[in-house]
Amino acid sequence: MKPANVYLFGTCLLDLFLPQAGVDAIALLEGLGLRVHFPQQQSCCGQPAYTSGHPAEALAVARAQLDCFAEDWPIVVPSGSCGGMIKYHWPKLFAGQPDEARACAAAARVVEFSDFLLNHLDWRPQDQGPKVKVAVHTSCSARREMNVHLSSWALLERLANVERVVHDHESECCGFGGTFSIKHPDIAGAMVTDKAAALRDSGAVEFITADGGCLLNINGKLAKEGGAFRGRHLASFLLERVGGKA
């Protein structure tokens, strides 16, 4: 049953660096008849501190989000990485804390954006765009933790004029990994070089991803190398295909 209300957890990266993708996600959901709530006080899921080995700091950041999502509505997250942090790591992070039950309840309501469209709304879009070939990059967390690469693919397969091409290095990391790219820049740089080349050489006209960190990382590499090939967030791509406007 389609909910009347949903939250959007916009993530730090979309809010600060890719706001249009967040706006497009909201527009797409509102176009499907949902009332989207975007609490202005929301900030970070706590993942950067958590994966850097600072659980106390991660807990403080995550705790600040609890009051933002107090109603019993789905929490739609346009990022497999941030979605995975809340859904699978908040219960461990809050274990033994006074607000453990609230955190676990919030975690249980988290749904990644593509998963929500496909499996909760059974969205069947009418593709209004021209024929196009695209490649898809899925973040490590989205693929291996949330298992939502399948839902992204399935959504694109429902667009009559879109062909998804499989690129070399399909399942490999782009090298971002949050703080990994800061701690290990040489390794991260080699990884994004391979990923950018595989996407660019795939025969697609652009690449699509549902994770802001990967999008910024790969597009940054592509921009340094020159050329027009770039990527977009899945929400922006889908909204355009159905003729919607932010």
Side-chain angles (χ1 to χ4, degrees):
M1 179 172 151
K2 183 171 77 172
N5 296 274
V6 297
Y7 287 116
L8 185 80
F9 184 80
T11 81
C12 308
L13 290 178
L14 260 66
D15 189 31
L16 297 174
F17 296 104
L18 300 165
Q20 190 60 52
V23 171
D24 290 342
I26 291 172
L28 193 59
L29 294 172
E30 287 182 339
L32 297 175
L34 283 72
R35 185 176 182 184
V36 182
H37 302 260
F38 186 89
Q40 293 297 314
Q41 297 80 13
Q42 65 175 288
S43 58
C44 178
C45 66
Q47 186 183 54
Y50 184 74
T51 56
S52 296
H54 302 290
E57 289 81 357
L59 181 62
V61 173
R63 179 171 283 134
Q65 314 310 309
L66 290 179
D67 288 339
C68 298
F69 305 98
E71 299 293 335
D72 190 24
W73 301 330
I75 303 172
V76 181
V77 186
S79 164
S81 177
C82 299
M85 173 64 192
I86 301 174
K87 192 171 189 67
Y88 296 112
H89 298 285
W90 273 21
K92 293 183 285 186
L93 185 64
F94 281 87
Q97 298 293 320
D99 40 12
E100 178 181 3
R102 291 181 65 204
C104 289
R109 290 185 282 121
V110 163
V111 189
E112 188 270 341
F113 178 70
S114 66
D115 183 21
F116 186 71
L117 289 175
L118 182 74
N119 297 313
H120 293 251
L121 300 183
D122 192 24
W123 186 48
R124 297 184 178 275
Q126 297 298 312
D127 191 356
Q128 299 179 31
K131 290 186 179 296
V132 67
K133 291 182 179 181
V134 301
V136 177
H137 167 73
T138 310
S139 76
C140 300
S141 295
R143 176 183 290 271
R144 297 176 175 85
E145 192 167 60
M146 297 290 279
N147 200 36
V148 293
H149 60 297
L150 300 175
S151 52
S152 291
W153 295 351
L155 285 175
L156 294 178
E157 288 171 358
R158 290 185 176 185
L159 293 167
N161 296 323
V162 174
E163 178 185 348
R164 180 180 70 87
V165 298
V166 178
H167 63 281
D168 191 12
H169 295 68
E170 180 90 8
S171 64
E172 294 186 16
C173 176
C174 74
F176 178 61
T179 56
F180 173 84
S181 59
I182 299 173
K183 294 178 178 179
H184 305 285
D186 292 339
I187 299 174
M191 293 171 74
V192 74
T193 296
D194 289 345
K195 174 61 72 169
L199 288 166
R200 188 183 57 244
D201 297 342
S202 65
V205 299
E206 65 177 329
F207 78 90
I208 309 301
T209 182
D211 281 85
C214 300
L215 182 60
L216 288 168
N217 189 40
I218 301 171
N219 272 350
K221 177 62 178 178
L222 290 167
K224 287 184 178 181
E225 293 179 343
F229 186 83
R230 294 291 187 277
R232 276 194 288 169
H233 193 279
L234 177 69
S236 299
F237 180 76
L238 293 178
L239 182 66
E240 179 184 85
R241 297 303 300 189
V242 298
K245 295 182 179 179

